[in-house]
Amino acid sequence: MSTIWKLSFTGPSEPLYRAAERLDVVELSNLLSWSIFDEDSEPTGILELLFDSAPDEDSVREATGLKDGYEARVIILPEEDWVALSQRGLPPVLAGRFALYGSHDEPPADTVAVEIEAGPAFGTGHHGTTKGCLIAFDSLLDEGFNPASVLDLGTGTGALAIAAAKVLPKASILASDIDPDSTAETARNAQKNGTPEIEAITAEGFDHVKLVGAKFDLIFANILAEPLVLLAAEIVNALNPGGIAILSGLLVEQEDQVCKAYEDKGVTVEAREPLDGWATLVVRKAP
């Protein structure tokens, strides 16, 4: 029977979340997936990484930045334990009217439920960035915001696009990601959640025939701070008059840099309550 390896790091939570974010952009060829948990004695957390072969602890520390002060532990698990491991500690994520949950669980009643399994694609909802986007979206809906066209830029698992499709049944919704694995995962999740109308495309930024010149009422961009800055002009240009962009994937200390990049394009930017050290910004374009 094949086996998998689990490498776990324990220590202060905020650097662990930063390390987890780096895992979305660095290449660790034998990495299957990762999960992060907050212990009861916050702000301590555990970052768990699963590998299909023995991990090189030094390489992982270098890639994540967890070089010192974090206890590491490696154990070998039977493959059949992966399902239980991926589901353990992952109760439904509640974000306003939305609930993200795995098939092992049941979403609370009277929520807009999105089924997303733990797996290799980023964006299961158990992360301050995805949750922050959903909370901001929920608040906008409460304000009466009713976008007719939505782009989920850097869609990951498609969680944000699916959430939008469930509450905006008449909207046109496009999801894009630079990673074809994420695009495929988004398409599968859209079918599973009864939102097959979502179109998922693989694209780098706005470099796609479906995106060049396209305009949207709402753009989700749950990506990293650097691409958020680099794409500021394109994201603002892709908003219809009166359109809104919800930005995340940036640390609290990167908030001013990202705010300035968008304010320089003539839009207003509102910072929402940070979650686990991650910031969420709401960008509004004038009508």
Side-chain angles (χ1 to χ4, degrees), residues 263-283:
E263 289 171 343
D264 286 348
K265 307 305 176 188
V267 294
T268 60
V269 183
E270 305 164 5
R272 298 301 173 98
E273 188 71 24
L275 295 173
D276 300 320
W278 299 99
T280 300
L281 304 176
V282 174
V283 173

Side-chain angles (χ1 to χ4, degrees), residues 21-129:
E21 185 73 4
R22 293 188 184 101
L23 291 171
D24 200 42
V25 294
V26 300
E27 291 189 8
L28 293 173
S29 59
N30 57 340
L31 178 65
L32 294 173
S33 189
W34 58 264
S35 300
I36 192 164
F37 309 97
D38 289 322
E39 292 190 318
D40 292 337
S41 55
E42 291 188 22
T44 300
I46 302 173
L47 174 63
E48 296 181 349
L49 304 91
L50 300 183
F51 297 85
D52 59 13
S53 59
D56 181 338
E57 181 185 326
D58 291 338
S59 296
V60 176
R61 285 184 181 275
E62 183 68 28
T64 59
L66 296 174
K67 297 180 182 179
D68 301 306
Y70 284 83
E71 178 187 354
R73 182 169 179 252
V74 178
I75 61 173
I76 299 175
L77 299 171
E79 183 181 13
E80 63 201 35
D81 284 348
W82 157 233
V83 174
L85 177 67
S86 67
Q87 294 175 349
R88 179 179 61 79
L90 294 176
V93 171
L94 303 180
R97 73 195 69 197
F98 300 101
L100 274 65
Y101 72 103
S103 60
H104 63 288
D105 215 331
E106 289 290 335
D110 301 323
T111 61
V112 178
V114 179
E115 183 180 342
I116 300 289
E117 300 297 342
F122 183 70
T124 64
H126 295 82
H127 193 280
T129 60

